[in-house]
Amino acid sequence: MSIRPRLLLFAFGDFAFNLYWQSIMLFLLFYYTEALALPVETAATIYTIATIWDGVANFIAGTLADRREASRHYGKVLMLGSLPLGIACVLTYLPPPIAGFWGIAFVLVGHLLFRTAYAAVNIPYLAMSARISTDSKDRAFIAGMRMLFGTMAWVLVARGTVPLGAWLSGGAVSASAYLGAAILFAIVGTAILILVGATYREELVTPPTPRPSIAASLRSLAANRAFVTLNLAMMAMIVAVTVLNKSVLYYFKYFLEDEAAGQTALAWMGLVSAIAVPVWMLLQRRIGTRSLWFLAASLCMAGLILFAAIRIDRADVMQFYLVAMQAMIVGLHFVFWAMLPNTIEYGEHATGLRVEGAVFGLASLLQRVAIGIATAIIGFGFGSAGYVANVHQSEATLAAMRWTIALAPLGFLALSCALMLLNPLGRGAHARIVREMAGS
């Protein structure tokens, strides 16, 4: 199989992972508060605990993936882990059989099981992206194609979760509807990951070397300025984006009283991501990857300032605003995933130690911590505003919720730009490092 079709098939795995990921990101918190009737602070706490554990599990999976002998079996990991991951997704949406404390514990355990299974399969998949090709252009292509497939999954999840789930469960939009959608996504995701695992072939072949200790991996990553600054910028960006995205359904339900329009907005946001990715890929070739971050972040910040200044009271206007914002946000995600594999060679050049799984594992840990922070901001920001699920909110409550949605993302995006200024991977830097390492 030639290189581009092989890379394209590999990138298709992100469609499967995003069936799970987008469901968790777009609907799970809303499912907790609106379908299971959990208090928003309780729901946010469950989500935050599971998210932080997800980060720990990702780091553990990453350090295990750095076993050189294990790296040759990444395809088998995808195939063997796909079924447990699908089952865990279904358990996450299984309504608790009892109420009270033990019901909350049941929800938390189901969520923790899913996060563990996801880390065990997703981290090897991410590490594979550094081994299927060493060319930065191929890696940018993989990042772009992964995002395209991921946004296709986003559209399916955003637009299909409620209607498909209601159809499969008999017509009622309730907890059983979300469970029905989870079962469908698990079947599709499992089949795709088995296919990707069975067809995976890697370009980078390294001789067997001693597995680096966790301490050695952490020291190498701490000395890797490209990795540190990129991931700190990513954390700030993820907090901003998560606060905005998790607020969508609440805004449409309580500000605009049109919950269905919120689901449509999420679908359109996913669709525009698919359209925007090729545009960002073309811009990346012209201005460089790091410069793209500043452009996308500046546009997002301008949009948030507009949102803070003008209250949007029409569903169609809010849909248009969110679609425009998502077109900018996808540029930030593209930059991160295009740059992250390149920090591996930067770290190897700087420290003499090549770590792959730990790079993706720790990056995922930091991403999950950022999502947890954002979820806590929403939960306790909305809670302190006086939000109560499924009742009419007062004007004072809505005003406080709106400031949370606007100001938290604005501040964190500004922080991300300051951190990205410190990143050394300017245009052409990675190619120079690869040439120097090849000539040494």
Side-chain angles (χ1 to χ4, degrees), residues 37 63 76 82-83 338 389:
T63 58
K76 292 182 180 179
S82 60
L83 182 58

Side-chain angles (χ1 to χ4, degrees), residues 40-41 376-387 396-397 400-401 404:
V40 66
E41 296 91 343
I377 289 172
I378 294 172
F380 292 95
F382 284 11
S384 64
Y387 164 82
T397 295
M401 291 170 67
T404 298

